[in-house]
Amino acid sequence: MKAKPDTPGFSGKPGDKFTLQEVGSLIFQASLEKLGSFKDLIMARDFGGMLKLLKSGDPVAIAIIFWTCVSAALLYYLLSSMSESEKADTKDTKQEEEEPIVLRDFTLEQLRQYDGVKNKSLYIAIKGEVYDVSKSPDMYGPQGAYYCFTGRDATRALARLSFEEEDLSNPNIEDLGPFERDTLEQWIEKFRHYRGYPVVGRVSEVPKEWADRTFSRSDLTVFDGSQSVPSGRVDAPILLGVSGRVLDVSYGGKEHYGPGGGYHLFAGKDASRALAKMSFSDEDVSSHDLSDLDETQLKTLADWERRFIEVKLYPVVGRLVD
């Protein structure tokens, strides 16, 4: 080994040999000195000094600078990841708070719109309840293996493990056997608890006793959305007369026509004249006289009727008679 220099912390005379322990101590002391110098440069933000130290070629200094940079980069990455995660959690929490699920009623025709094409959401109905399966597009999206169930009342098809149209278009489950009923319950358990698909409403049909029913204007007043909710429904029916037809606008229209909605004054009424004139006046809302409407107003009324039936798909539940 080399002769000892006149170095503080070491005993002996010049010319003596280093022991292995003393070599280790010397390296450790030199590292502490370099680390202290580098810390001072960092605290003083002396980047020129750090660069000079790096150019000196001192292996200890280079090692310290290298690991300091690596540590700083790692710390930045961890903090950034935590920050992004917290932002994502906050965003999700805010979204959940800002967009609570409001349950609604669906007709089978309305449900067909939620197929990922006509509407970006993916809905499936099982035993009356409508589930939002949008978080599983790989299974229920347009390219998924189970896409045939999307936008449908899939109760019978799932119970029978069938992909056939005759089961997909038939909601009847009265003839199902014990095995099929047990299979159906397993699907419901999977949707509710295992997959955690949220329920967004119920699917139902217009009461059979309302088939081609006639309503007088006094009959309509009972159905303004404030009455009791029938079994199997989310909301009470809200009937509205338009050009001689009676529509149930509670199927997706409660926000507008239900109690507290901006168009609630039309609920339970023949709203033809008011809609044609785009009027909220008591005189027009309470009148059903269309004889003095001009061509523009009649076209406006026809546009409302088309929007209700072809766009909103509100079910026609009967006819309005004088």
Side-chain angles (χ1 to χ4, degrees):
M1 291 188 179
K2 291 184 179 180
K4 291 182 181 179
D6 188 11
T7 306
F10 291 93
S11 59
K13 297 179 293 183
D16 291 342
K17 301 295 185 180
F18 282 116
T19 66
L20 186 60
Q21 181 179 3
E22 288 174 332
V23 171
S25 298
L26 181 60
I27 294 173
F28 180 72
Q29 181 177 336
S31 298
L32 288 179
E33 291 176 354
K34 296 294 183 181
L35 183 59
S37 299
F38 188 65
K39 183 187 73 172
D40 292 339
L41 292 173
I42 292 177
M43 296 299 293
R45 298 184 181 179
D46 185 357
F47 299 106
M50 285 188 276
L51 183 60
K52 183 178 179 181
L53 187 62
L54 184 62
K55 289 182 176 180
S56 68
D58 190 317
V60 175
I62 293 175
I64 291 173
I65 293 174
F66 173 80
W67 287 113
T68 299
C69 293
V70 170
S71 300
L74 180 60
L75 181 61
Y76 176 81
Y77 172 79
L78 291 174
L79 291 176
S80 298
S81 299
M82 291 174 62
S83 177
E84 290 300 320
S85 177
E86 290 171 356
K87 287 180 181 178
D89 292 342
T90 302
K91 182 178 180 180
D92 291 342
T93 302
K94 286 183 178 179
Q95 188 172 9
E96 291 176 1
E97 292 175 353
E98 294 173 359
E99 300 178 6
I101 295 175
V102 178
L103 301 180
R104 55 158 288 187
D105 290 294
F106 294 85
T107 65
L108 289 172
E109 187 179 10
Q110 288 174 334
L111 184 62
R112 290 299 297 266
Q113 306 304 302
Y114 295 86
D115 61 355
V117 178
K118 304 179 190 72
N119 187 296
K120 66 179 181 179
S121 297
L122 305 171
Y123 289 177
I124 295 177
I126 306 178
K127 288 187 74 173
E129 291 192 313
V130 179
Y131 296 86
D132 184 349
V133 299
S134 300
K135 67 180 182 180
S136 298
D138 54 325
M139 292 189 291
Y140 301 106
Q143 306 303 320
Y146 299 101
Y147 182 60
C148 61
F149 301 135
T150 304
R152 311 290 290 266
D153 181 347
T155 307
R156 183 181 182 85
L158 289 174
R160 303 190 67 188
L161 300 175
S162 169
F163 293 84
E164 301 298 326
E165 181 61 32
E166 62 180 348
D167 290 316
L168 289 166
S169 59
N170 181 7
N172 179 44
I173 58 172
E174 296 298 324
D175 60 340
L176 295 182
F179 174 78
E180 294 168 329
R181 292 181 182 277
D182 183 61
T183 300
L184 180 59
E185 293 304 316
Q186 290 179 31
W187 275 104
I188 294 174
E189 179 74 13
K190 175 183 177 181
F191 270 50
R192 283 183 180 173
H193 305 295
Y194 178 67
R195 299 295 298 179
Y197 296 134
V199 174
V200 294
R202 294 190 60 83
V203 64
S204 62
E205 296 187 44
V206 175
K208 293 181 179 179
E209 60 269 23
W210 283 13
D212 201 30
R213 174 179 171 176
T214 57
F215 292 84
S216 67
R217 290 180 175 81
S218 60
D219 290 335
L220 289 184
T221 60
V222 179
F223 301 98
D224 64 354
S226 62
Q227 72 276 21
S228 60
V229 179
S231 176
R233 289 286 304 271
V234 173
D235 298 311
I238 303 172
L239 302 189
L240 186 150
V242 181
S243 299
R245 296 181 177 183
V246 178
L247 292 77
D248 187 349
V249 297
S250 66
Y251 281 89
K254 179 186 177 182
E255 177 185 358
H256 302 295
Y257 300 98
Y263 295 97
H264 181 59
L265 75 168
F266 299 147
K269 296 183 176 66
D270 178 0
S272 301
R273 181 181 179 85
L275 291 172
K277 297 184 68 175
M278 302 290 286
S279 171
F280 289 87
S281 72
D282 292 337
E283 180 182 358
D284 289 322
V285 171
S286 59
S287 173
H288 59 274
D289 182 17
L290 307 181
S291 61
D292 61 339
L293 298 182
D294 59 31
E295 290 186 9
T296 300
Q297 292 168 334
L298 289 173
K299 182 180 183 303
T300 299
L301 178 58
D303 289 341
W304 274 105
E305 183 180 12
R306 183 162 45 252
R307 174 177 172 78
F308 284 159
I309 296 175
E310 298 179 11
V311 179
K312 291 297 186 179
L313 302 177
Y314 295 138
V316 177
V317 299
R319 296 178 292 108
L320 192 61
V321 295
D322 293 331

